[in-house]
Amino acid sequence: MHNLNGIAAFVRAAETCSYVAAGRLLGVSASAVGKSVARLEEKLGVRLLNRSTRRISLSNEGALFYERCQRILADLGDAEAELSHLAEAPRGKLKVSLPVIGYRIILPLLAEFTRQYPEIELDLDFNDRLVDVVAEGVDVAVRSGTLTDSRLMARELGPFAFAIVGSPAYFARHGVPATPRALEGHACVRYKFPTTGKLQEWALQRAEGDGGGELRLPTALTCNNIEALIGAATQGVGLAYLPDFLVRDAIARGELQAVLAEHLLYASKFWVLWPSSRHLSPKIRVFVDHLCTHLHFSAPPPTR
């Protein structure tokens, strides 16, 4: 058991690159994590983690050992779950990280979920910040775009397209752009990624004869909240590039108008993620299954 504690401390420290974060996950102090890892290194006769004043990282030997240890802990978690028969009654707190717009697509599905699984307590965090699922102890996360974290398992929730929209009042004042190049004569409201501060690109296929070179979008407003961008576009501040499912109702009501649909290139996907090193516990399994079963997007047009 002493060796198992050392392995658990080593794996969590390697995943989080921090003794403090590892201790938080294990329910012990950072000092206890460091001592457990040190004892394990002494027993093995190799250095598993490189330490600096700012962070820790895997050594070459540690990287090899980490892969094996991760599988050992996952198998142990599977065995414990089978013996406890928890699958018969999913229960406990489930910490879920969602984008801010998630309330529009996820909340309508939760009433039925809570009726089916009354012993699961949902802890929802709506935040566009790119959270570290492992380090922050998140059970499930919903994200869009490209997946890059190899520590996470994922299932696709569905694809969605983008739309460029503006208010009828805006188009009455400034006209309707006929080509992507014409956007250079319009005010644009841009989404700024909270984690990086970069502006989201508008993925457009240029029309023949539309000119070459980089497309420079005049920016009237930047914001790290999509709901605010929808409001700005509706109020006539400028044109916005937004997920189509968020503006579909506003378009139907005549509050927004979509333009340049034939020039839009990019479709993205939503994913549901959970830590690969953590056993797919009953509460995670039923939540993931519920989202995958009930969350539907209309299929976006094919990318060119």
Side-chain angles (χ1 to χ4, degrees):
M1 184 60 69
H2 175 77
N3 287 341
L4 186 58
N5 290 338
I7 288 173
F10 162 66
V11 169
R12 298 300 176 241
E15 288 173 342
T16 61
C17 299
S18 165
Y19 286 158
V20 173
R24 189 180 303 120
L25 294 176
L26 295 170
V28 299
S29 67
S31 175
V33 173
K35 289 177 181 178
S36 293
V37 173
R39 283 193 295 266
L40 183 62
E41 290 177 324
E42 183 178 0
K43 179 177 177 61
L44 297 173
V46 296
R47 177 175 290 277
L48 299 174
L49 296 173
N50 298 315
R51 288 88 160 168
S52 72
T53 56
R54 292 189 175 182
R55 59 175 294 160
I56 58 177
S57 62
L58 285 167
S59 66
N60 292 335
E61 294 83 358
L64 294 174
F65 193 57
Y66 169 75
E67 297 296 333
R68 292 287 187 93
C69 291
Q70 191 181 43
R71 289 195 293 271
I72 289 170
L73 292 181
D75 289 343
L76 181 61
D78 291 342
E80 289 176 345
E82 289 174 3
L83 290 174
S84 65
H85 301 290
L86 287 177
E88 297 176 4
R91 61 171 62 88
K93 180 178 287 189
L94 187 70
K95 187 174 181 180
V96 185
S97 174
L98 300 146
V100 171
I101 60 171
Y103 84 90
R104 289 200 182 203
I105 57 176
I106 303 296
L107 280 184
L109 309 179
L110 297 186
E112 177 61 26
F113 180 81
T114 56
R115 281 193 293 269
Q116 289 185 36
Y117 306 104
E119 295 186 72
I120 295 179
E121 176 190 346
L122 294 174
D123 179 0
L124 307 181
D125 177 26
F126 291 97
N127 198 315
D128 285 334
R129 178 178 62 87
L130 190 61
V131 303
D132 188 322
V133 172
V134 173
E136 298 181 40
V138 172
D139 295 304
V140 179
V142 174
R143 289 182 182 165
S144 62
T146 303
L147 305 181
T148 59
D149 195 334
S150 62
R151 301 172 300 169
L152 305 178
M153 300 293 290
R155 281 177 65 181
E156 182 181 330
L157 290 175
F160 64 93
F162 284 85
I164 295 176
V165 295
S167 70
Y170 174 88
F171 290 125
R173 293 194 305 270
H174 302 284
V176 177
T179 67
R181 176 63 71 182
L183 290 172
E184 294 186 336
H186 286 264
C188 299
V189 294
R190 306 282 300 277
Y191 179 71
K192 179 170 61 176
F193 292 102
T195 303
T196 64
K198 293 182 178 179
L199 295 180
Q200 183 177 34
E201 297 293 335
W202 293 19
L204 293 157
Q205 178 174 271
R206 305 285 279 278
E208 185 176 349
D210 199 26
E214 181 181 357
L215 191 63
R216 299 184 181 278
L217 300 176
T219 301
L221 177 150
T222 62
C223 183
N224 63 0
N225 182 287
I226 288 182
E227 293 291 344
L229 291 185
I230 295 173
T234 303
Q235 294 300 317
V237 176
L239 305 184
Y241 177 82
L242 297 163
D244 65 342
F245 65 88
L246 291 179
V247 294
R248 201 172 292 147
D249 290 344
I251 291 172
R253 294 191 298 266
E255 297 170 358
L256 291 172
Q257 177 182 339
V259 296
L260 300 175
E262 67 277 15
H263 296 285
L264 291 168
L265 284 173
Y266 184 64
S268 188
K269 294 179 179 180
F270 273 111
W271 304 86
V272 57
L273 316 169
W274 64 94
S276 60
S277 61
R278 187 176 306 173
H279 169 68
L280 187 59
S281 67
K283 63 182 179 180
I284 294 177
R285 175 177 52 79
V286 295
F287 187 77
V288 169
D289 287 345
H290 188 81
L291 292 188
C292 291
T293 299
H294 297 285
L295 186 60
H296 302 290
F297 300 90
S298 60
T303 54
R304 297 173 178 82

